Amino acid sequence: MIHLVLGGARSGKSRYGEALVRQYTALGFDACYVATAQALDDEMATRIAKHQAGRSDDGVEWQLFEEPLALTATLARLAKPGRVILVDCLTLWLINQLLASNPLVDEPAPTEWNASDFVTATSTDKALANWQAEKTAFVDALIELEGVVILISNEVGSGIVPLGELSRQFVDEAGWLNQAVAALADNVTLVVAGLPLALKPL
């Protein structure tokens, strides 16, 4: 079962995803937390520490896996009946993929999506080609996963159109990734101001 949880920055999407996990652990499921963020600077390290502290007393015995790039293989290895996996988040995974494929971008992955965190580079086409192959493999693998997988992702397309080619490409790719996952997901929820809005099933 795939559940996609969308929301903007500070929308409460991660908190809602964790609440979903607690519903499954109450039924006897074991829980895995797959984190895609990288602590590449002090500010991001602080954010990660706050997330970890919040989970430390939530009553869930989390198994933590930090995987900024090989998300597809990690999910295939972890998913099984009787297990719920929370992935937080797809957006940072996308950023990591684009930056890893683009050696001319010497920027740390941002903590949340922000157009100013990206610069235009001549290797954009290569990065996007690598990403397309990775996305296809990821979406194909989701269909085969056992157990429950809850995917957190940022909804980045509701704001202004960003300046810069790479920034606009990121917004496009994030939107297309969300659409691809939503198309096959059993449930899709949009979280706004901490309130979950069911998009699928209607």
Side-chain angles (χ1 to χ4, degrees):
M1 199 281 285
I2 304 297
H3 192 151
L4 175 63
V5 179
L6 300 168
R10 302 297 165 266
S11 62
K13 59 188 181 298
S14 293
R15 184 177 301 152
Y16 177 72
E18 292 167 9
L20 291 175
V21 170
R22 288 193 292 274
Q23 294 178 17
Y24 284 99
T25 57
L27 298 175
F29 282 59
D30 64 57
C32 295
Y33 189 105
V34 179
T36 61
Q38 301 182 81
L40 300 179
D41 55 41
D42 292 341
E43 192 271 346
M44 188 58 174
T46 299
R47 285 176 178 261
I48 291 174
K50 287 182 179 179
H51 271 271
Q52 291 173 338
R55 295 195 304 272
S56 65
D57 59 355
D58 64 0
V60 177
E61 295 183 7
W62 294 100
Q63 301 175 63
L64 174 63
F65 299 87
E66 297 180 346
E67 185 46 70
L69 292 171
L71 181 59
T72 305
T74 298
L75 291 179
R77 175 169 55 88
L78 294 177
K80 67 177 184 178
R83 170 172 287 172
V84 55
I85 302 172
L86 178 65
V87 177
D88 197 357
C89 68
L90 293 185
T91 317
L92 285 176
W93 175 59
L94 165 59
I95 293 169
N96 295 337
Q97 288 287 338
L98 293 177
L99 295 183
S101 300
N102 196 335
L104 297 184
V105 178
D106 187 20
E107 293 286 332
T111 56
E112 291 279 359
W113 175 81
N114 190 316
S116 64
D117 288 316
F118 290 86
V119 295
T120 302
T122 57
S123 58
T124 298
D125 289 344
K126 177 183 177 182
L128 289 177
N130 291 341
W131 162 245
Q132 292 299 332
E134 186 65 36
K135 183 180 76 171
T136 298
F138 175 73
V139 172
D140 289 346
L142 284 181
I143 303 173
E144 305 298 328
L145 296 180
E146 296 183 297
V148 177
V149 180
I150 300 168
L151 304 166
I152 309 296
S153 190
N154 283 70
E155 176 51 65
V156 301
S158 298
I160 62 173
V161 177
L163 297 175
E165 179 184 358
L166 189 56
S167 299
R168 291 191 295 272
Q169 287 174 336
F170 167 75
V171 172
D172 289 346
E173 293 302 328
W176 288 324
L177 173 62
N178 288 343
Q179 287 188 51
V181 174
L184 60 85
D186 301 281
N187 299 87
V188 180
T189 302
L190 174 66
V191 181
V192 180
L195 301 176
L197 305 173
L199 303 182
K200 182 183 180 182
L202 296 176

